[in-house]
Amino acid sequence: MKSAVPILLILFLLCGSASAKTVRYVEPFFSDNSFHIQVLKRALSLSEAKFGAIATQAIDTPMLQGRQFRALARTDIDVLWSMTSRARELDARPIRIPLTMGLIGYRVFVIKQRDRHRFATLTSKAQLQQLLALQGHDWPDTEIMSSNGFKVRGVSWHQSMYKLLAEDKFDYFPRGVLEIGAEREGLAAYALSIDSKWVLHYPAASYFFVRHEDASLAQRLEYGLAAMLQSGELKAMILNNPHHVNALRMLNFSDREFIRLDNPLLPDSTPTLDPKYWLTPQELSELVY
């Protein structure tokens, strides 16, 4: 009888391990998105005391944003992170806590090195609207810029974007202020640089998305993210991430000209009026420099 006790214990542990939910996500490419993975894992870990054990698994298959939403619907993955839009909130269930506290809506320009003087001498939004911007074909940013009167063309494969810009097929490539910190070291290989004058800003939120029917995962993520937001941990993770810090210092917000754009894709349910969800340019200047 005594020998049965360890066997039962092993079986119990194996069953417990097998029953732990595994949350699958797409391994990011193109820029360093380790920040979102860190937030995902932290939010899930904070939910374990209330909801039980959970694990994560990276799916090493490159996917554009549109394909990720289709993979989510097919149950090939369980969670993704993306800028929200009305269409995307119909396709999947958003966890309405902005992961970068609105910073996804701040865009600076990657340009050709020889064009630095050209962009520095532009004086108006109207002049920028005459130039051709590069974006992803399935990014909400493409429609946002187009609806605000900018010339923009979307392409389908992210890894070729800087090459296309270098080949004179486009005039500039607006990139998120948090993305460019991880990408800037590769710009010199294409004779590209970051414009020092302009910032596009539109109200935008980046969320975790799950399937509409996956209420349990939605609950866990909302619980963990709310705890991170309330404690200040989420803001600290944003502002202490090395790529983010390098980008925000380099971009020097206080010396730039901001062009405010409308976001016609922003769902009415976005908590735009609640200040706890958002960082402002003034806060960034105070917190980073």
Side-chain angles (χ1 to χ4, degrees):
M1 288 296 294
K2 289 184 178 179
S3 63
V5 174
I7 295 174
L8 290 173
L9 179 60
I10 292 170
L11 289 173
F12 174 79
L13 292 172
L14 288 174
C15 290
S17 175
S19 63
K21 180 178 176 64
T22 298
V23 176
R24 298 160 300 165
Y25 61 89
V26 174
E27 184 71 29
F29 66 103
F30 188 65
S31 67
D32 186 344
N33 263 309
S34 61
F35 165 77
H36 292 88
I37 299 171
Q38 291 166 4
V39 173
L40 173 67
K41 291 182 176 180
R42 179 58 176 158
L44 290 174
S45 71
L46 288 172
S47 76
E48 287 193 313
K50 182 177 178 64
F51 296 99
I54 196 159
T56 58
Q57 178 187 351
I59 305 300
D60 191 15
T61 303
M63 296 186 194
L64 303 180
Q65 292 182 10
R67 184 181 171 194
Q68 285 196 46
F69 276 91
R70 293 191 291 273
L72 184 69
R74 292 193 307 266
T75 73
D76 294 337
I77 59 174
D78 303 297
V79 65
L80 61 86
W81 51 89
S82 177
M83 184 188 295
T84 195
S85 70
R86 289 189 174 91
R88 288 180 170 182
E89 293 194 12
L90 290 176
D91 291 339
R93 179 174 184 156
I95 314 304
R96 291 194 179 92
I97 297 178
L99 299 175
T100 58
M101 302 185 76
L103 292 183
I104 194 171
Y106 292 88
R107 303 274 155 165
V108 295
F109 304 158
V110 177
I111 60 174
K112 292 175 276 292
Q113 290 178 358
R114 65 175 184 272
D115 283 345
R116 283 180 293 190
H117 178 73
R118 176 190 181 196
F119 275 80
T121 56
L122 295 175
T123 59
S124 69
K125 173 182 174 182
Q127 289 175 322
L128 282 170
Q129 287 171 323
Q130 300 307 308
L131 305 178
L132 182 61
L134 166 65
Q135 292 284 263
H137 85 282
D138 57 353
W139 295 357
D141 315 82
T142 305
E143 189 171 345
I144 292 168
M145 291 189 65
S146 179
S147 69
N148 281 270
F150 285 80
K151 292 170 62 177
V152 57
R153 186 191 310 155
V155 300
S156 60
W157 193 240
H158 299 180
Q159 291 176 320
S160 65
M161 285 179 162
Y162 285 135
K163 184 173 183 290
L164 290 172
L165 180 61
E167 291 174 348
D168 280 341
K169 299 183 185 299
F170 299 86
D171 294 302
Y172 64 110
F173 181 13
R175 292 300 285 149
V177 295
L178 299 186
E179 297 163 331
I180 198 60
E183 298 170 9
R184 64 172 179 156
E185 290 182 2
L187 299 182
Y190 295 99
L192 302 175
S193 64
I194 301 168
D195 163 66
S196 61
K197 182 173 183 178
W198 301 98
V199 180
L200 297 182
H201 176 223
Y202 35 88
S206 176
Y207 292 148
F208 286 132
F209 284 87
V210 302
R211 286 180 293 281
H212 282 294
E213 62 272 20
D214 198 349
S216 62
L217 181 54
Q219 276 186 307
R220 296 187 73 130
L221 286 170
E222 186 169 6
Y223 179 87
L225 287 172
M228 294 171 68
L229 185 69
Q230 184 174 2
S231 69
E233 184 176 1
L234 181 60
K235 181 185 287 189
M237 287 182 71
I238 294 170
L239 294 174
N240 292 331
N241 179 282
H243 291 305
H244 297 176
V245 171
N246 290 340
L248 294 171
R249 284 177 176 161
M250 169 189 66
L251 295 174
N252 196 7
F253 271 26
S254 60
D255 291 339
R256 288 177 172 268
E257 295 191 30
F258 284 74
I259 298 177
R260 171 81 176 194
L261 305 185
D262 295 324
N263 182 354
L265 309 182
L266 196 68
D268 295 336
S269 52
T270 309
T272 53
L273 300 180
D274 191 336
K276 73 173 178 283
Y277 291 113
W278 313 101
L279 284 166
T280 65
Q282 292 77 16
E283 283 183 290
L284 289 174
S285 296
E286 293 169 4
L287 290 167
V288 174
Y289 298 109

